Amino acid sequence: MSAGRLLGFRLVAAVLLPGCLVSQEDHIIQPLPPLMNQPPRILENLLQPASRFFTVRNGTDCPNLSFLAPVSDPDVGDTLIYNFYVDPDVFPAFVKQATIPLNGEADRSDPANYEVSFATPGPLQQPGDHVVEVLVSDGALVNREPQPRKVTLLDGGTALDPTYAVTYAWTVTVVAGPCPPPP
């Protein structure tokens, strides 16, 4: 290739190539799509009883046994639903269901709670080992399975947003007999 031809080729390339680098379309920045749901969590360092395994007596004079599970959800507008189960592998129905009120913060001010009185008949009256489980969900459950929610996208279409559930379980050994008098 002669020097004149090479110079001509470079000149043509220098004129045409910048046209390929300049954007040929206008892109308008669209708003971001809605954030997807984030899972709630049980604040394990604040649980009551604090131990996962413990023993109690079942006498009618024994104090009430309280289970408290403080919760957090980064989606401050989500209503949290909780269910307590006693021996869920044998009795799948919940013994208590309630909602945790919104407070505008991730850490909710009210915990999931369940109180057992040994003065009245209940599932923890029988001596032996029992499992008490709390299940916290940020949406509807069907047979303990979170059901996704339908959300509207920016283009008018729809998508499924996951719903989450978290659990915690205590193992309670119930021993027959009255409680010792308080000191």
Side-chain angles (χ1 to χ4, degrees):
M1 206 184 233
S2 72
R5 256 183 151 180
L6 186 58
L7 182 61
F9 179 73
R10 286 184 181 170
L11 195 60
V12 168
V15 169
L16 293 179
L17 285 179
C20 296
L21 300 176
V22 175
S23 175
Q24 301 298 313
E25 300 176 24
D26 288 334
H27 290 285
I28 300 172
I29 297 176
Q30 298 290 325
L32 294 174
L35 291 175
M36 298 300 276
N37 187 32
Q38 299 176 68
R41 64 187 181 101
I42 295 171
L43 304 174
E44 292 188 26
N45 59 324
L46 301 174
L47 287 168
Q48 290 181 16
S51 176
R52 192 177 284 269
F53 302 93
F54 62 95
T55 301
V56 296
R57 294 194 169 271
N58 70 350
T60 57
D61 62 336
C62 293
N64 290 353
L65 177 58
S66 294
F67 294 90
L68 300 173
V71 296
S72 181
D73 188 345
D75 301 315
V76 297
D78 280 356
T79 298
L80 300 180
I81 303 162
Y82 67 88
N83 296 341
F84 272 93
Y85 302 88
V86 176
D87 298 326
D89 56 332
V90 179
F91 306 106
F94 57 82
V95 294
K96 181 179 182 184
Q97 180 180 62
T99 59
I100 297 173
L102 300 173
N103 65 348
E105 298 179 17
D107 291 350
R108 304 300 166 92
S109 53
D110 294 338
N113 65 75
Y114 172 56
E115 189 164 281
V116 177
S117 171
F118 293 105
T120 57
L124 285 178
Q125 290 291 354
Q126 297 300 315
D129 290 333
H130 298 279
V131 174
V132 176
E133 179 186 16
V134 61
L135 181 145
V136 179
S137 172
D138 62 0
L141 296 172
V142 173
N143 297 325
R144 298 175 55 111
E145 292 294 324
Q147 300 300 301
R149 336 172 206 208
K150 193 178 283 190
V151 293
T152 303
L153 301 175
L154 296 172
D155 64 359
T158 60
L160 293 178
D161 193 8
T163 295
Y164 297 98
V166 292
T167 67
Y168 186 88
W170 294 267
T171 299
V172 183
T173 301
V174 178
V175 177
C179 286

